[in-house]
Amino acid sequence: AGITVSLLCFMYVKKEKTTDRFIPDHQNIYVLTNNKNSHFSIPMVNLVKKYVPALKEVTFCNEEWSAQIFFKNNHVSYPVKKLLVADSCFFKVFAFKPLWGDPLTALNSANRIVITRSLAKKMFGNENPVGKSIEYNTTYLNGELVEIAAVLDDLPQNSSWDFEAVVSIQTNCKIKGYLSNF
């Protein structure tokens, strides 16, 4: 029993010590997350930017809350379980490794998306999909064409982040009442 408890403690400490270490400058990134009792809004992010000038970059992202999300390419639908909606600073704060395209400018406007290597492989095989458009469909927004602006390498298992794609927040602003929920 003692060996088992020791191994479990070792595995827990190792996971805690290695999580997100692959992100450049990880020691200077601070993340505030929502839980069931709190809510962070876009206006709050703007207040943090205004009143905490020591911060280099501040970003906002949230999980897409639609019950159904899928992308369509050449009449084939691909269900997506893990989609983030983020502002243009997201990849300035979280410098995930790009394979193709430039994540730093990828979310600067509406109808732009960044996808992971595994999603790109499912949809396009081994070709570079940057610059191609796919159809973005959710419970609240259907038939929206989005341009693939970058492809990221898949995130390692010791990542606290888990997503298949990140869509620009301006895209979801087309949903009536979207911003009023923040």
Side-chain angles (χ1 to χ4, degrees), residues 9 48 76 79 103 108 119 130 181:
C9 288
V48 169
V76 178
N108 286 348
L119 183 59
V130 171
N181 288 307

Side-chain angles (χ1 to χ4, degrees), residues 10-21 158:
F10 173 76
M11 289 172 21
Y12 175 79
V13 169
K14 182 179 180 199
K15 182 180 182 326
E16 289 297 310
K17 290 281 193 186
T18 62
T19 298
D20 291 339
R21 298 289 192 240
N158 63 342

Side-chain angles (χ1 to χ4, degrees), residues 89-106:
C89 291
F90 184 75
F91 292 112
K92 291 176 185 167
V93 174
F94 299 101
F96 299 118
K97 183 181 174 190
L99 293 176
W100 296 298
D102 183 6
L104 294 177
T105 60

Side-chain angles (χ1 to χ4, degrees), residues 66-175:
S66 292
Q68 295 182 340
I69 307 163
F70 63 94
F71 299 137
K72 192 182 275 188
N73 181 38
N74 292 330
H75 307 293
V76 178
S77 292
Y78 300 88
V80 177
K81 293 182 177 107
K82 302 168 216 158
L83 176 68
L84 290 182
V85 180
D87 67 10
S88 61
C89 291
F90 184 75
F91 292 112
K92 291 176 185 167
V93 174
F94 299 101
F96 299 118
K97 183 181 174 190
L99 293 176
W100 296 298
D102 183 6
L104 294 177
T105 60
L107 303 178
N108 286 348
S109 61
N111 294 58
R112 299 193 26 114
I113 193 166
V114 174
I115 63 176
T116 59
R117 175 198 299 251
S118 33
L119 183 59
K121 187 166 180 79
K122 271 194 260 182
M123 296 178 73
F124 297 96
N126 291 323
E127 69 180 279
N128 177 353
V130 171
K132 296 184 179 190
S133 292
I134 57 175
E135 191 177 301
Y136 172 48
N137 297 285
T138 70
T139 305
Y140 308 103
L141 189 66
N142 285 300
E144 196 69 32
L145 286 180
V146 292
E147 177 189 352
I148 298 171
V151 177
L152 302 178
D153 203 358
D154 290 333
L155 302 176
Q157 288 197 346
N158 63 342
S159 174
S160 61
W161 294 94
D162 187 21
F163 58 82
E164 296 171 90
V166 182
V167 69
S168 66
I169 196 165
Q170 300 96 316
T171 305
N172 275 19
C173 287
K174 295 176 180 185
I175 300 169

Side-chain angles (χ1 to χ4, degrees), residues 34-90:
N34 295 337
N35 62 30
K36 293 180 177 148
N37 300 319
S38 66
H39 180 74
F40 296 112
S41 64
I42 294 171
M44 186 185 106
V45 169
N46 292 334
L47 286 172
V48 169
K49 286 179 186 178
K50 181 177 179 181
Y51 291 108
V52 188
L55 298 175
K56 279 187 192 176
E57 298 288 347
V58 178
T59 188
F60 175 85
C61 75
N62 66 293
E63 291 179 9
E64 171 56 52
W65 62 67
S66 292
Q68 295 182 340
I69 307 163
F70 63 94
F71 299 137
K72 192 182 275 188
N73 181 38
N74 292 330
H75 307 293
V76 178
S77 292
Y78 300 88
V80 177
K81 293 182 177 107
K82 302 168 216 158
L83 176 68
L84 290 182
V85 180
D87 67 10
S88 61
C89 291
F90 184 75

